[in-house]
Amino acid sequence: MKQMEKMTARELIVFCLMAVFAGIAVGIGGTASLISASRMGGGYGKILGGLLFSLGMYAIISFDMRLFTGMVAAIPKMGVKNMWKLPVCFLCNALGVAVVAVLLTFSPIYAEVSLEAVKLIGGKLHSDTWALNALCSGVLCGILITMSIWASHYAPVKGLSTTVGVILPIVVFAFCGFDHSVANMLYFYFLGEVSWHVLGYILLSIVGNAIGGVLLPLVVMLRGTENDKTA
């Protein structure tokens, strides 16, 4: 079992700050996606929204930020003693998203963004099959996030475009409306509903993202390829 990674106080602070900034990046990307859906609508709005949302992942990978849905890819080799990083990362991501949400409340686009966010998450939350939807949708999102993150390492080796490899999976998951647990925090902020129902949806999307995120790494381990790619 991998021993617990020792982190100095400074390293822990940097880790948390990079996780907060990852949440900010996701929050800004999510905001742009909501604006696109509001102003364009239809399939073209979703495609543009997915492309704009991908700004968050592009920034996260470029600046080596820490995103929960990226870190789950390292679970197979992380070791139990290092699992504490996952909840800490998610909470810091959520804080970063909250920062964006608070700033938006004082911006001229607040009404437009909040209305679209409530429409998006409200429809999912109040579905008769919300629990199964949150879990399964989260799994699919987790698979695509890992593909995006690992593309930054594998695409150059294969002679492929790193940018396209990073962005395309994000566009797909955003277009399909799969549940990203961190991005969902932005939508729930505007929903303004605090309940066990909401908490259950958040937890199921987290579990789904984690399950989906480790599938490719597990297959790679079975294949015998060395990978420790995280974000």
Side-chain angles (χ1 to χ4, degrees):
M1 180 182 295
K2 186 175 180 180
Q3 296 298 314
M4 181 176 179
E5 179 182 332
K6 294 182 178 179
M7 299 179 69
T8 64
R10 180 178 180 278
E11 289 172 335
L12 179 59
I13 291 173
V14 170
F15 175 86
C16 291
L17 287 176
M18 294 305 280
V20 170
F21 270 97
I24 290 174
V26 169
I28 293 174
T31 299
S33 181
L34 290 172
I35 290 292
S36 175
S38 173
R39 297 182 181 180
M40 294 186 68
Y44 291 112
K46 287 185 177 181
I47 292 174
L48 178 59
L51 185 60
L52 295 174
F53 188 91
S54 67
L55 165 70
M57 184 59 71
Y58 188 83
I60 288 166
I61 292 176
S62 297
F63 296 99
D64 196 27
M65 299 176 190
R66 299 297 168 188
L67 180 67
F68 168 78
T69 50
M71 289 194 68
V72 294
I75 287 177
K77 292 190 175 184
M78 185 177 289
V80 176
K81 293 184 178 180
N82 290 299
M83 290 292 182
W84 62 270
K85 294 180 182 178
L86 295 176
V88 170
C89 184
F90 180 83
L91 291 174
C92 290
N93 289 163
L95 177 59
V97 171
V99 169
V100 174
V102 170
L103 293 175
L104 283 173
T105 59
F106 300 99
S107 76
I109 60 174
Y110 170 73
E112 186 176 11
V113 172
S114 61
L115 179 63
E116 197 63 34
V118 170
K119 186 190 306 181
L120 175 64
I121 200 64
K124 294 181 178 182
L125 185 64
H126 300 298
S127 167
D128 292 336
T129 57
W130 67 269
L132 187 60
N133 290 347
L135 180 63
C136 295
S137 178
V139 170
L140 293 170
C141 178
I143 291 172
L144 289 166
I145 293 295
T146 297
M147 287 182 179
S148 173
I149 291 168
W150 281 24
S152 65
H153 300 278
Y154 284 103
V157 177
K158 301 292 184 180
L160 302 173
S161 170
T162 301
T163 300
V164 172
V166 168
I167 290 178
L168 190 56
I170 306 303
V171 174
V172 171
F173 107 69
F175 179 80
C176 294
F178 296 147
D179 283 284
H180 187 284
S181 55
V182 176
N184 278 356
M185 300 304 291
L186 177 69
Y187 311 142
F188 278 119
Y189 176 88
F190 290 117
L191 184 65
E193 179 180 333
V194 180
S195 66
W196 289 110
H197 190 179
V198 169
L199 179 60
Y201 196 101
I202 293 172
L203 291 176
L204 285 171
S205 63
I206 289 174
V207 172
N209 288 166
I211 293 172
V214 301
L215 292 179
L216 179 59
L218 287 174
V219 172
V220 169
M221 286 183 67
L222 289 174
R223 193 179 65 180
T225 303
E226 291 296 327
N227 286 290
D228 290 307
K229 310 299 188 285
T230 64

